[in-house]
Amino acid sequence: MGATKESVAFSIGMMLWECLTLKIPFGEYEAEVAGQKIVNGERPNLEAIKKQTLKAIIKGCIAGETAERYSMSALKREFIQLFPPGAVMLTISDAVDYDEPSVQDQTQYRTGPESQSITNP
């Protein structure tokens, strides 16, 4: 079985946790035991992560129920919100899940608290 969107979100959350804590999730256990803990619903402790936005992103990635995990487009939007206004230009390929049809041919520029949408020709 290959990777799913939900498993990719989980992996991103675990890698983000590892980057922020400089620890390996469940590193004190052998791989088989760590895997079983994850399957049984255990998650790494988030107490060491002080920035609430990053903690919320990790929670949304490693949620126990796969349906509660971020879609890739939602995860991208969360990360983009961490950038200062005006620093990011989004295109449809960057901001929309192809399996979640929505806006067609739009480019969004973050210029401040609100974004402007410009329809491409």
Side-chain angles (χ1 to χ4, degrees), residues 47-62:
E47 294 297 317
I49 300 167
K50 302 302 179 202
K51 188 165 178 123
Q52 293 302 310
T53 53
L54 292 173
K55 190 181 285 192
I57 288 172
I58 294 170
K59 281 183 179 181
C61 287
I62 65 173

mmCIF file with all atom_site columns, all heavy atoms in Angstrom, residues 47-62:
data_model
loop_
_atom_site.group_PDB
_atom_site.id
_atom_site.type_symbol
_atom_site.label_atom_id
_atom_site.label_alt_id
_atom_site.label_comp_id
_atom_site.label_asym_id
_atom_site.label_entity_id
_atom_site.label_seq_id
_atom_site.pdbx_PDB_ins_code
_atom_site.Cartn_x
_atom_site.Cartn_y
_atom_site.Cartn_z
_atom_site.occupancy
_atom_site.B_iso_or_equiv
_atom_site.pdbx_formal_charge
_atom_site.auth_seq_id
_atom_site.auth_comp_id
_atom_site.auth_asym_id
_atom_site.auth_atom_id
_atom_site.pdbx_PDB_model_num
ATOM 1   N N   . GLU A 1 47 ? 4.081  19.482 24.698 1.00 0.00 ? 47 GLU A N   1
ATOM 2   C CA  . GLU A 1 47 ? 4.348  20.503 25.723 1.00 0.00 ? 47 GLU A CA  1
ATOM 3   C C   . GLU A 1 47 ? 5.565  21.367 25.402 1.00 0.00 ? 47 GLU A C   1
ATOM 4   O O   . GLU A 1 47 ? 5.592  22.550 25.714 1.00 0.00 ? 47 GLU A O   1
ATOM 5   C CB  . GLU A 1 47 ? 4.537  19.844 27.087 1.00 0.00 ? 47 GLU A CB  1
ATOM 6   C CG  . GLU A 1 47 ? 3.284  19.184 27.623 1.00 0.00 ? 47 GLU A CG  1
ATOM 7   C CD  . GLU A 1 47 ? 2.161  20.170 27.880 1.00 0.00 ? 47 GLU A CD  1
ATOM 8   O OE1 . GLU A 1 47 ? 2.421  21.256 28.418 1.00 0.00 ? 47 GLU A OE1 1
ATOM 9   O OE2 . GLU A 1 47 ? 1.010  19.848 27.531 1.00 0.00 ? 47 GLU A OE2 1
ATOM 10  N N   . ALA A 1 48 ? 6.595  20.797 24.798 1.00 0.00 ? 48 ALA A N   1
ATOM 11  C CA  . ALA A 1 48 ? 7.830  21.540 24.531 1.00 0.00 ? 48 ALA A CA  1
ATOM 12  C C   . ALA A 1 48 ? 7.663  22.572 23.418 1.00 0.00 ? 48 ALA A C   1
ATOM 13  O O   . ALA A 1 48 ? 8.496  23.464 23.274 1.00 0.00 ? 48 ALA A O   1
ATOM 14  C CB  . ALA A 1 48 ? 8.958  20.578 24.174 1.00 0.00 ? 48 ALA A CB  1
ATOM 15  N N   . ILE A 1 49 ? 6.601  22.464 22.644 1.00 0.00 ? 49 ILE A N   1
ATOM 16  C CA  . ILE A 1 49 ? 6.380  23.392 21.527 1.00 0.00 ? 49 ILE A CA  1
ATOM 17  C C   . ILE A 1 49 ? 5.587  24.577 22.049 1.00 0.00 ? 49 ILE A C   1
ATOM 18  O O   . ILE A 1 49 ? 4.428  24.442 22.432 1.00 0.00 ? 49 ILE A O   1
ATOM 19  C CB  . ILE A 1 49 ? 5.675  22.680 20.362 1.00 0.00 ? 49 ILE A CB  1
ATOM 20  C CG1 . ILE A 1 49 ? 6.566  21.529 19.892 1.00 0.00 ? 49 ILE A CG1 1
ATOM 21  C CG2 . ILE A 1 49 ? 5.372  23.653 19.234 1.00 0.00 ? 49 ILE A CG2 1
ATOM 22  C CD1 . ILE A 1 49 ? 5.907  20.557 18.993 1.00 0.00 ? 49 ILE A CD1 1
ATOM 23  N N   . LYS A 1 50 ? 6.222  25.725 22.086 1.00 0.00 ? 50 LYS A N   1
ATOM 24  C CA  . LYS A 1 50 ? 5.628  26.913 22.711 1.00 0.00 ? 50 LYS A CA  1
ATOM 25  C C   . LYS A 1 50 ? 4.754  27.718 21.755 1.00 0.00 ? 50 LYS A C   1
ATOM 26  O O   . LYS A 1 50 ? 3.774  28.312 22.168 1.00 0.00 ? 50 LYS A O   1
ATOM 27  C CB  . LYS A 1 50 ? 6.729  27.823 23.275 1.00 0.00 ? 50 LYS A CB  1
ATOM 28  C CG  . LYS A 1 50 ? 7.605  27.120 24.302 1.00 0.00 ? 50 LYS A CG  1
ATOM 29  C CD  . LYS A 1 50 ? 6.774  26.594 25.465 1.00 0.00 ? 50 LYS A CD  1
ATOM 30  C CE  . LYS A 1 50 ? 7.656  25.874 26.470 1.00 0.00 ? 50 LYS A CE  1
ATOM 31  N NZ  . LYS A 1 50 ? 6.949  24.956 27.295 1.00 0.00 ? 50 LYS A NZ  1
ATOM 32  N N   . LYS A 1 51 ? 5.103  27.745 20.471 1.00 0.00 ? 51 LYS A N   1
ATOM 33  C CA  . LYS A 1 51 ? 4.321  28.533 19.517 1.00 0.00 ? 51 LYS A CA  1
ATOM 34  C C   . LYS A 1 51 ? 3.015  27.796 19.213 1.00 0.00 ? 51 LYS A C   1
ATOM 35  O O   . LYS A 1 51 ? 3.013  26.707 18.654 1.00 0.00 ? 51 LYS A O   1
ATOM 36  C CB  . LYS A 1 51 ? 5.129  28.779 18.243 1.00 0.00 ? 51 LYS A CB  1
ATOM 37  C CG  . LYS A 1 51 ? 4.453  29.738 17.309 1.00 0.00 ? 51 LYS A CG  1
ATOM 38  C CD  . LYS A 1 51 ? 5.388  30.251 16.239 1.00 0.00 ? 51 LYS A CD  1
ATOM 39  C CE  . LYS A 1 51 ? 4.609  31.157 15.323 1.00 0.00 ? 51 LYS A CE  1
ATOM 40  N NZ  . LYS A 1 51 ? 5.137  32.454 15.213 1.00 0.00 ? 51 LYS A NZ  1
ATOM 41  N N   . GLN A 1 52 ? 1.904  28.401 19.623 1.00 0.00 ? 52 GLN A N   1
ATOM 42  C CA  . GLN A 1 52 ? 0.600  27.752 19.517 1.00 0.00 ? 52 GLN A CA  1
ATOM 43  C C   . GLN A 1 52 ? 0.207  27.427 18.079 1.00 0.00 ? 52 GLN A C   1
ATOM 44  O O   . GLN A 1 52 ? -0.434 26.409 17.829 1.00 0.00 ? 52 GLN A O   1
ATOM 45  C CB  . GLN A 1 52 ? -0.481 28.610 20.187 1.00 0.00 ? 52 GLN A CB  1
ATOM 46  C CG  . GLN A 1 52 ? -0.312 28.719 21.694 1.00 0.00 ? 52 GLN A CG  1
ATOM 47  C CD  . GLN A 1 52 ? -0.319 27.363 22.378 1.00 0.00 ? 52 GLN A CD  1
ATOM 48  O OE1 . GLN A 1 52 ? -1.199 26.535 22.164 1.00 0.00 ? 52 GLN A OE1 1
ATOM 49  N NE2 . GLN A 1 52 ? 0.679  27.123 23.218 1.00 0.00 ? 52 GLN A NE2 1
ATOM 50  N N   . THR A 1 53 ? 0.584  28.283 17.128 1.00 0.00 ? 53 THR A N   1
ATOM 51  C CA  . THR A 1 53 ? 0.220  28.011 15.734 1.00 0.00 ? 53 THR A CA  1
ATOM 52  C C   . THR A 1 53 ? 0.902  26.742 15.236 1.00 0.00 ? 53 THR A C   1
ATOM 53  O O   . THR A 1 53 ? 0.285  25.933 14.545 1.00 0.00 ? 53 THR A O   1
ATOM 54  C CB  . THR A 1 53 ? 0.565  29.194 14.816 1.00 0.00 ? 53 THR A CB  1
ATOM 55  O OG1 . THR A 1 53 ? 1.933  29.556 15.005 1.00 0.00 ? 53 THR A OG1 1
ATOM 56  C CG2 . THR A 1 53 ? -0.322 30.388 15.079 1.00 0.00 ? 53 THR A CG2 1
ATOM 57  N N   . LEU A 1 54 ? 2.165  26.559 15.596 1.00 0.00 ? 54 LEU A N   1
ATOM 58  C CA  . LEU A 1 54 ? 2.870  25.346 15.184 1.00 0.00 ? 54 LEU A CA  1
ATOM 59  C C   . LEU A 1 54 ? 2.325  24.120 15.907 1.00 0.00 ? 54 LEU A C   1
ATOM 60  O O   . LEU A 1 54 ? 2.200  23.049 15.316 1.00 0.00 ? 54 LEU A O   1
ATOM 61  C CB  . LEU A 1 54 ? 4.371  25.496 15.417 1.00 0.00 ? 54 LEU A CB  1
ATOM 62  C CG  . LEU A 1 54 ? 5.065  26.525 14.526 1.00 0.00 ? 54 LEU A CG  1
ATOM 63  C CD1 . LEU A 1 54 ? 6.514  26.709 14.950 1.00 0.00 ? 54 LEU A CD1 1
ATOM 64  C CD2 . LEU A 1 54 ? 4.966  26.128 13.062 1.00 0.00 ? 54 LEU A CD2 1
ATOM 65  N N   . LYS A 1 55 ? 1.984  24.281 17.160 1.00 0.00 ? 55 LYS A N   1
ATOM 66  C CA  . LYS A 1 55 ? 1.386  23.175 17.923 1.00 0.00 ? 55 LYS A CA  1
ATOM 67  C C   . LYS A 1 55 ? 0.060  22.752 17.278 1.00 0.00 ? 55 LYS A C   1
ATOM 68  O O   . LYS A 1 55 ? -0.213 21.556 17.130 1.00 0.00 ? 55 LYS A O   1
ATOM 69  C CB  . LYS A 1 55 ? 1.161  23.601 19.373 1.00 0.00 ? 55 LYS A CB  1
ATOM 70  C CG  . LYS A 1 55 ? 0.773  22.469 20.291 1.00 0.00 ? 55 LYS A CG  1
ATOM 71  C CD  . LYS A 1 55 ? 0.525  22.945 21.716 1.00 0.00 ? 55 LYS A CD  1
ATOM 72  C CE  . LYS A 1 55 ? 1.827  23.238 22.414 1.00 0.00 ? 55 LYS A CE  1
ATOM 73  N NZ  . LYS A 1 55 ? 1.655  23.427 23.876 1.00 0.00 ? 55 LYS A NZ  1
ATOM 74  N N   . ALA A 1 56 ? -0.737 23.718 16.863 1.00 0.00 ? 56 ALA A N   1
ATOM 75  C CA  . ALA A 1 56 ? -2.024 23.416 16.225 1.00 0.00 ? 56 ALA A CA  1
ATOM 76  C C   . ALA A 1 56 ? -1.819 22.712 14.881 1.00 0.00 ? 56 ALA A C   1
ATOM 77  O O   . ALA A 1 56 ? -2.568 21.785 14.534 1.00 0.00 ? 56 ALA A O   1
ATOM 78  C CB  . ALA A 1 56 ? -2.834 24.695 16.037 1.00 0.00 ? 56 ALA A CB  1
ATOM 79  N N   . ILE A 1 57 ? -0.805 23.136 14.133 1.00 0.00 ? 57 ILE A N   1
ATOM 80  C CA  . ILE A 1 57 ? -0.515 22.484 12.848 1.00 0.00 ? 57 ILE A CA  1
ATOM 81  C C   . ILE A 1 57 ? -0.135 21.028 13.090 1.00 0.00 ? 57 ILE A C   1
ATOM 82  O O   . ILE A 1 57 ? -0.628 20.123 12.413 1.00 0.00 ? 57 ILE A O   1
ATOM 83  C CB  . ILE A 1 57 ? 0.593  23.238 12.080 1.00 0.00 ? 57 ILE A CB  1
ATOM 84  C CG1 . ILE A 1 57 ? 0.044  24.570 11.549 1.00 0.00 ? 57 ILE A CG1 1
ATOM 85  C CG2 . ILE A 1 57 ? 1.133  22.385 10.931 1.00 0.00 ? 57 ILE A CG2 1
ATOM 86  C CD1 . ILE A 1 57 ? 1.092  25.480 10.944 1.00 0.00 ? 57 ILE A CD1 1
ATOM 87  N N   . ILE A 1 58 ? 0.736  20.794 14.060 1.00 0.00 ? 58 ILE A N   1
ATOM 88  C CA  . ILE A 1 58 ? 1.144  19.416 14.350 1.00 0.00 ? 58 ILE A CA  1
ATOM 89  C C   . ILE A 1 58 ? -0.060 18.583 14.771 1.00 0.00 ? 58 ILE A C   1
ATOM 90  O O   . ILE A 1 58 ? -0.256 17.469 14.281 1.00 0.00 ? 58 ILE A O   1
ATOM 91  C CB  . ILE A 1 58 ? 2.250  19.384 15.424 1.00 0.00 ? 58 ILE A CB  1
ATOM 92  C CG1 . ILE A 1 58 ? 3.527  20.022 14.871 1.00 0.00 ? 58 ILE A CG1 1
ATOM 93  C CG2 . ILE A 1 58 ? 2.517  17.955 15.881 1.00 0.00 ? 58 ILE A CG2 1
ATOM 94  C CD1 . ILE A 1 58 ? 4.607  20.255 15.905 1.00 0.00 ? 58 ILE A CD1 1
ATOM 95  N N   . LYS A 1 59 ? -0.902 19.126 15.656 1.00 0.00 ? 59 LYS A N   1
ATOM 96  C CA  . LYS A 1 59 ? -2.110 18.401 16.086 1.00 0.00 ? 59 LYS A CA  1
ATOM 97  C C   . LYS A 1 59 ? -2.984 18.040 14.890 1.00 0.00 ? 59 LYS A C   1
ATOM 98  O O   . LYS A 1 59 ? -3.537 16.944 14.818 1.00 0.00 ? 59 LYS A O   1
ATOM 99  C CB  . LYS A 1 59 ? -2.920 19.230 17.068 1.00 0.00 ? 59 LYS A CB  1
ATOM 100 C CG  . LYS A 1 59 ? -2.387 19.229 18.466 1.00 0.00 ? 59 LYS A CG  1
ATOM 101 C CD  . LYS A 1 59 ? -3.323 20.038 19.363 1.00 0.00 ? 59 LYS A CD  1
ATOM 102 C CE  . LYS A 1 59 ? -2.857 20.049 20.787 1.00 0.00 ? 59 LYS A CE  1
ATOM 103 N NZ  . LYS A 1 59 ? -3.780 20.803 21.651 1.00 0.00 ? 59 LYS A NZ  1
ATOM 104 N N   . GLY A 1 60 ? -3.134 18.983 13.952 1.00 0.00 ? 60 GLY A N   1
ATOM 105 C CA  . GLY A 1 60 ? -3.953 18.732 12.771 1.00 0.00 ? 60 GLY A CA  1
ATOM 106 C C   . GLY A 1 60 ? -3.348 17.713 11.822 1.00 0.00 ? 60 GLY A C   1
ATOM 107 O O   . GLY A 1 60 ? -4.059 17.102 11.033 1.00 0.00 ? 60 GLY A O   1
ATOM 108 N N   . CYS A 1 61 ? -2.048 17.534 11.899 1.00 0.00 ? 61 CYS A N   1
ATOM 109 C CA  . CYS A 1 61 ? -1.374 16.546 11.048 1.00 0.00 ? 61 CYS A CA  1
ATOM 110 C C   . CYS A 1 61 ? -1.395 15.145 11.649 1.00 0.00 ? 61 CYS A C   1
ATOM 111 O O   . CYS A 1 61 ? -1.506 14.158 10.923 1.00 0.00 ? 61 CYS A O   1
ATOM 112 C CB  . CYS A 1 61 ? 0.085  16.952 10.815 1.00 0.00 ? 61 CYS A CB  1
ATOM 113 S SG  . CYS A 1 61 ? 0.309  18.346 9.704  1.00 0.00 ? 61 CYS A SG  1
ATOM 114 N N   . ILE A 1 62 ? -1.280 15.056 12.964 1.00 0.00 ? 62 ILE A N   1
ATOM 115 C CA  . ILE A 1 62 ? -1.128 13.737 13.595 1.00 0.00 ? 62 ILE A CA  1
ATOM 116 C C   . ILE A 1 62 ? -2.396 13.274 14.321 1.00 0.00 ? 62 ILE A C   1
ATOM 117 O O   . ILE A 1 62 ? -2.343 12.359 15.135 1.00 0.00 ? 62 ILE A O   1
ATOM 118 C CB  . ILE A 1 62 ? 0.086  13.710 14.548 1.00 0.00 ? 62 ILE A CB  1
ATOM 119 C CG1 . ILE A 1 62 ? -0.097 14.653 15.742 1.00 0.00 ? 62 ILE A CG1 1
ATOM 120 C CG2 . ILE A 1 62 ? 1.371  14.018 13.796 1.00 0.00 ? 62 ILE A CG2 1
ATOM 121 C CD1 . ILE A 1 62 ? 0.999  14.547 16.801 1.00 0.00 ? 62 ILE A CD1 1
#
